Amino acid sequence: MKLIIPRLTPHHNMLIFSFFHYCEENKIIFDLKFDTKVSLSGGVLEVNNKIIYFDYSDSPVFADNPYKYNYYFKRSLREIDEKENVYPLNFQVNYSYKSLLFLSKLSYKQLVDKYNRIEIIRALDYFNAFTNSSHNAMDIRKFPKEIMDNGGKILFYTRLWNPDNHPDEDEKERRRQQNEFRIESCRIIKKSFKNASVGLFPDNLSLNIATDILLNEKKTSKKEYFGLLKQFDIGIADDGLKDTPGWKIGEYLLFGKAVVTTPLNVSIENFYEHINYEKLSTRNSFNEVPEKIEYLLSGNKYLEVGKNNLDWSNNYLHPKNFIQRILSKTLGDIKS
């Protein structure tokens, strides 16, 4: 069994560390190769003369031709494209697992490769002592194993994207709608619920247009954010780049949180409205957010949904099951 990626990037962490976990649990040689012929958002798993492609692109557009592979798993997969050998990769989360031990498995050439440098530094910084980035990966062993009741507290930390920084007019408009939703959702939650923490990352754009809901930048690091996330029960999510789910919603699930989100425009396995999440009617329906939150608060329904999501994330996101589920789904129960 061999995993091939172009280089170490945050988008590959979930796949890399899941593969590392699988190899360790099943006492298989950890065989990781680098090949720049693989798309920057892709990865290839070779097992039993079969080739499985992992497409972690934010975009619904395929990173490679599915017909070149036996099985093609894609994040941001539209339902109309789920056919033949193409399967959903579900949500993505940036996590790690025993990062120092992982580094010890890499060759000297892999360790000194300039393209791997940033992720090597992040992996070495286990305690986030000298890096403070939104792309830092938290060790999966630090994620909660059961849900906690914090009294129905609501969380929505987000950021804006400047429309003027993109040349495409459609993308400019998408960013304007995204920004409006994020700003107005923060404002309406802040106004409607005392038991809530919301706000925007304080960049130049938010400093100019939404000074009333700015976050303290010190609280926006992954270490601080994940520590805070444990203290809340309901997370608000919306589409990220290319109108597809970002990392935030996967983080909510691994922490066992109930979710209110804009419509999911991608295929997600066994993930259902009213069981795993509450859905707004449109991308712009920030005015519906309080109603969805109230529904989850009534009868403490957020605890049931949070438990459903912790169970779902254990099956679909956690490294203890991620690779095994892929192999069972495609090739049967394989250990080689």
Side-chain angles (χ1 to χ4, degrees):
M1 180 182 289
K2 177 169 62 177
L3 178 64
I4 308 168
I5 60 172
R7 65 179 69 165
L8 295 178
T9 76
H11 283 271
H12 289 95
N13 280 342
M14 182 177 177
L15 176 60
I16 294 168
F17 286 106
S18 292
F19 179 63
F20 179 54
H21 187 289
Y22 181 85
C23 291
E24 184 182 55
E25 288 293 304
N26 293 280
K27 297 179 172 56
I28 298 171
I29 294 174
F30 178 67
D31 190 358
L32 177 66
K33 305 297 183 185
F34 294 90
D35 189 341
T36 55
K37 293 179 182 178
V38 178
S39 167
L40 192 57
S41 60
V44 175
L45 183 65
E46 296 182 352
V47 53
N48 281 23
N49 297 316
K50 300 292 184 180
I51 303 177
I52 303 172
Y53 190 88
F54 295 83
D55 181 345
Y56 282 101
S57 171
D58 294 318
S59 170
V61 177
F62 286 90
D64 206 337
N65 180 0
Y67 295 110
K68 292 168 54 178
Y69 307 94
N70 298 104
Y71 306 99
Y72 194 104
F73 286 84
K74 177 168 177 54
R75 176 194 175 199
S76 306
L77 177 67
R78 303 295 192 195
E79 289 185 2
I80 59 172
D81 294 322
E82 185 180 352
K83 52 191 175 183
E84 298 177 357
N85 66 327
V86 179
Y87 304 90
L89 198 50
N90 301 313
F91 299 114
Q92 184 181 14
V93 186
N94 182 20
Y95 57 60
S96 65
Y97 170 73
K98 296 185 179 181
S99 56
L100 298 181
L101 180 60
F102 160 74
L103 292 178
S104 73
K105 303 293 184 181
L106 301 184
S107 69
Y108 176 77
K109 183 178 179 180
Q110 291 172 336
L111 287 170
V112 300
D113 188 327
K114 66 178 181 179
Y115 295 112
N116 294 334
R117 184 180 303 152
I118 293 176
E119 291 309 305
I120 296 292
I121 293 172
R122 286 174 177 155
L124 285 170
D125 188 19
Y126 180 77
F127 296 105
N128 301 119
F130 54 88
T131 57
N132 183 18
S133 169
S134 62
H135 284 158
N136 274 6
M138 180 175 173
D139 193 305
I140 194 68
R141 294 172 296 172
K142 294 183 179 181
F143 283 60
K145 295 179 175 58
E146 58 185 15
I147 64 169
M148 297 174 57
D149 187 358
N150 298 290
K153 296 173 69 176
I154 305 118
L155 184 69
F156 187 34
Y157 282 12
T158 187
R159 63 164 298 169
L160 305 182
W161 290 91
N162 194 333
D164 295 335
N165 290 345
H166 203 283
D168 182 73
E169 287 301 320
D170 289 338
E171 176 62 15
K172 286 179 184 289
E173 178 58 26
R174 189 199 66 78
R175 291 188 178 195
R176 281 191 282 266
Q177 292 186 28
Q178 182 186 65
N179 290 344
E180 180 186 24
F181 176 85
R182 293 180 175 185
I183 292 170
E184 297 306 326
S185 291
C186 285
R187 285 173 173 164
I188 200 169
I189 294 169
K190 184 178 180 179
K191 179 180 178 180
S192 304
F193 301 95
K194 294 181 179 179
N195 212 10
S197 183
V198 300
L200 305 174
F201 180 81
D203 59 10
N204 290 335
L205 179 60
S206 60
L207 283 166
N208 285 329
I209 65 177
T211 55
D212 56 315
I213 48 173
L214 296 181
L215 295 170
N216 183 334
E217 189 170 353
K218 293 181 180 179
K219 294 184 178 181
T220 62
S221 71
K222 275 297 184 198
K223 182 179 180 180
E224 291 290 330
Y225 177 71
F226 282 162
L228 187 68
L229 188 52
K230 293 177 181 178
Q231 304 170 34
F232 287 79
D233 305 290
I234 300 171
I236 312 302
D238 68 323
D239 278 337
L241 299 173
K242 310 297 182 182
D243 287 328
T244 61
W247 290 347
K248 183 187 299 294
I249 192 168
E251 293 166 354
Y252 287 155
L253 305 181
L254 276 167
F255 274 77
K257 307 304 173 184
V259 175
V260 175
T261 182
T262 51
L264 298 174
N265 299 311
V266 298
S267 182
I268 306 292
E269 293 177 283
N270 298 318
F271 196 76
Y272 304 111
E273 187 179 4
H274 305 313
I275 295 176
N276 301 102
Y277 68 101
E278 291 303 309
K279 182 180 69 174
L280 304 175
S281 60
T282 71
R283 180 69 179 84
N284 303 313
S285 301
F286 59 85
N287 58 314
E288 297 176 5
V289 173
E291 173 190 345
K292 300 300 182 181
I293 292 174
E294 290 288 2
Y295 173 77
L296 290 170
L297 291 175
S298 63
N300 293 342
K301 187 172 178 62
Y302 62 86
L303 293 176
E304 176 187 343
V305 177
K307 177 63 166 57
N308 293 341
N309 286 339
L310 189 62
D311 291 342
W312 188 93
S313 67
N314 279 332
N315 290 328
Y316 290 93
L317 300 179
H318 199 285
K320 66 184 179 183
N321 288 317
F322 184 76
I323 295 296
Q324 182 62 60
R325 185 183 63 82
I326 295 291
L327 297 181
S328 297
K329 187 178 180 67
T330 56
L331 313 178
D333 189 9
I334 295 176
K335 295 180 181 179
S336 59

